[in-house]
Amino acid sequence: MTTGELITLSEKNIMGTYKRFPVVLVKGSGARVWDSDGKEYLDFVAGIAVCSLGHSHPKVVEALKRQVEILTHVSNLYYIEPQIHFAGMLVEHSFADKVFFCNSGAEANEAAIKLARRYAYENMGGHKYELITMKDSFHGRTLATITATGQEKLQIGFAPLPEGFRYVPFNDVTALENAITDKTCGVLLEPIQGEGGIKIPDGDYLTKVRQICDDRGILLILDEVQVGMGRTGKLFAHEHYGIKPDIMTLAKAMGNGFPVGAMLATDRVAAAFIPGTHASTFGGNPLAMAASLATMDVLIHHGILDHCTKMGTYFLNKLEKLKRRYPVIREVRGKGLIIGMELTEDGGSIVRKCMDRGLLINCTGGYVLRFVPPLIITRPDVDAAVDILDEVMGSQ
Ligand SMILES: *Cc1c(COP(=O)(O)O)cnc(C)c1O
């Protein structure tokens, strides 16, 4: 089939939830992907912060091949060997004592919301169920997670939404303090807002949020679905800020492209989940666990985090230089390899022109270009991407 025929067939049979670029990506390797016409792209989207080790990383491919021949799926009615090993690795390298596995970021946040409510029900009395979340946040597309998401445009037409969510602006300590009532059981936020335009927390914001949660006896839940698993140069973004959450959610990069999610918590909080309170058929499935185990092993033992930090600094500096030359760039900000370039105008045409020249990037909230390349990118990759951006911005 030609590319045009594939696209027509896609539009015919697949629900129209996505506004797609008119390309079919058919192959990937490292930081590169190819479309159905054989055109090569440098991939600074990486499946939206998913393929952190690059496409088809040999260790992940090998782990999946090995596992698919041994055991593809059983149920959580039984103990699952790769699940046991991967949970052990997550617990060893995080604040958490216990893990619940699921299949996506939204599901991980659903699990976190349920755990927070159940913990409050068991320990604070049934009247505390409210979560405070942030404006411009993003937590997923299920009913509870669009409600947790502080963006009205994602909620329109889906009423009635579940009760029990209140919103405050990110980076506003006073608004948070004022929003807490005797119904509040926790605060849910992304340590760095991803979809909201790569918003970085002010110096001591997260420390203060932690302090407020401790003082008021409520839970701190961090959504690290986008920034966790090495994206910022540390395994988890909150490590930059010297705090620990009570609950944390992960997904995107965890399986380097194999769908998987997790919700982690301390023993104290996790104790509220007993048999029958929550479950997932596919959660912690052998294939997902094999992919995640291989991914995390490479992340930790192959110097990826340090490399990410170095490449992040190198990339950010080059973007700062571009900023001095193009007034359309309002600000460049980021941590490790999640970098946003805020523009004074809509970024759509820059994204399309970059794509024509073989660079994939995307735009969040209309005017923030988002760069989330694989963490294994090299200096020449960064140079090539910045050259293309330079050329595109010069021609605007
Ligand atoms: C992508 C994302 C989600 C949703 O993850 P899905 O796997 O698409 O359900 C939730 N929270 C954050 C911060 C995300 O970036």
Side-chain angles (χ1 to χ4, degrees):
M1 268 191 252
T2 66
T3 300
E5 285 165 350
L6 285 168
I7 291 173
T8 306
L9 204 53
S10 175
E11 294 301 330
K12 177 172 179 286
N13 294 323
I14 297 174
M15 287 197 198
T17 54
Y18 305 104
K19 191 164 165 282
R20 301 178 197 261
F21 294 100
V23 294
V24 182
L25 298 177
V26 294
K27 199 180 98 159
S29 175
R32 281 168 177 76
V33 289
W34 288 266
D35 72 16
S36 48
D37 298 323
K39 179 172 169 173
E40 181 180 305
Y41 302 86
L42 188 51
D43 184 6
F44 273 41
V45 174
I48 312 189
V50 167
C51 305
S52 283
L53 303 181
H55 297 277
S56 301
H57 189 282
K59 295 271 191 210
V60 182
V61 171
E62 185 196 313
L64 275 169
K65 277 186 179 164
R66 201 183 325 119
Q67 188 61 49
V68 81
E69 289 190 338
I70 300 171
L71 185 68
T72 302
H73 182 77
V74 287
S75 161
N76 284 305
L77 289 168
Y78 314 101
Y79 290 97
I80 298 171
E81 207 178 351
Q83 187 183 114
I84 296 165
H85 295 313
F86 182 51
M89 197 170 194
L90 278 176
V91 165
E92 184 191 339
H93 293 278
S94 73
F95 76 97
D97 304 306
K98 294 277 192 293
V99 187
F100 173 84
F101 288 112
C102 52
N103 314 288
S104 68
E107 269 182 76
N109 286 327
E110 282 276 345
I113 294 164
K114 279 184 72 177
L115 179 61
R117 284 193 178 179
R118 187 74 180 208
Y119 173 82
Y121 172 83
E122 302 283 350
N123 296 279
M124 304 172 180
H127 65 290
K128 283 193 195 283
Y129 57 84
E130 206 168 69
L131 285 174
I132 298 174
T133 69
M134 302 296 139
K135 291 184 176 152
D136 298 325
S137 56
F138 184 77
H139 298 296
R141 297 294 199 145
T142 63
L143 276 175
T145 57
I146 58 168
T147 313
T149 295
Q151 298 186 56
E152 217 176 311
K153 68 172 194 277
L154 304 187
Q155 303 171 346
I156 293 168
F158 299 117
L161 298 173
E163 267 182 61
F165 296 89
R166 284 168 77 107
Y167 316 102
V168 296
F170 188 68
N171 268 333
D172 187 337
V173 175
T174 312
L176 175 61
E177 278 178 317
N178 291 339
I180 297 171
T181 68
D182 49 324
K183 284 188 194 161
T184 308
C185 72
V187 178
L188 163 62
L189 80 167
E190 301 154 83
I192 294 172
Q193 288 192 329
E195 303 303 307
I198 323 297
K199 296 225 182 78
I200 311 284
D202 294 340
D204 58 356
Y205 175 64
L206 291 174
T207 323
K208 286 191 172 145
V209 173
R210 177 70 270 182
Q211 191 62 50
I212 292 166
C213 289
D214 288 342
D215 292 348
R216 306 294 286 263
I218 59 176
L219 298 172
L220 174 60
I221 308 166
L222 291 181
D223 178 346
E224 294 231 12
V225 167
Q226 185 157 160
V227 293
M229 302 313 288
R231 176 54 54 189
T232 65
K234 294 207 186 277
L235 201 48
F236 307 112
H238 66 262
E239 295 172 24
H240 290 284
Y241 305 98
I243 59 149
K244 287 177 182 157
D246 301 297
I247 302 176
M248 173 175 73
T249 55
L250 298 171
K252 288 195 166 81
M254 202 158 76
N256 203 50
F258 200 96
V260 59
M263 187 271 291
L264 292 75
T266 60
D267 265 331
R268 175 176 68 96
V269 179
F273 265 6
I274 56 168
T277 48
H278 199 46
S280 165
T281 297
F282 290 127
N285 154 295
L287 285 179
M289 296 294 99
S292 302
L293 198 56
T295 302
M296 191 161 170
D297 185 65
V298 174
L299 210 52
I300 290 173
H301 298 118
H302 290 64
I304 306 289
L305 299 176
D306 285 344
H307 182 75
C308 167
T309 304
K310 280 199 198 97
M311 288 305 112
T313 307
Y314 181 69
F315 190 15
L316 198 67
N317 284 338
K318 294 203 80 161
L319 294 176
E320 282 290 351
K321 280 185 194 140
L322 276 191
K323 175 176 170 258
R324 278 179 236 140
R325 295 183 26 230
Y326 297 110
V328 67
I329 306 174
R330 181 175 290 164
E331 192 183 41
V332 178
R333 53 183 183 252
K335 200 140 204 108
L337 283 169
I338 177 161
I339 297 178
M341 175 183 268
E342 187 171 331
L343 307 173
T344 57
E345 59 184 51
D346 187 275
S349 82
I350 293 179
V351 170
R352 278 187 301 276
K353 286 178 184 169
C354 283
M355 191 164 184
D356 291 343
R357 288 169 170 78
L359 171 67
L360 301 185
I361 58 172
N362 93 322
C363 190
T364 78
Y367 57 95
V368 181
L369 299 181
R370 169 170 48 185
F371 307 102
V372 281
L375 309 182
I376 48 97
I377 50 161
T378 61
R379 273 168 216 268
D381 292 336
V382 173
D383 294 344
V386 173
D387 284 348
I388 292 173
L389 267 172
D390 193 352
E391 205 181 298
V392 166
M393 289 186 154
S395 74
Q396 280 288 96

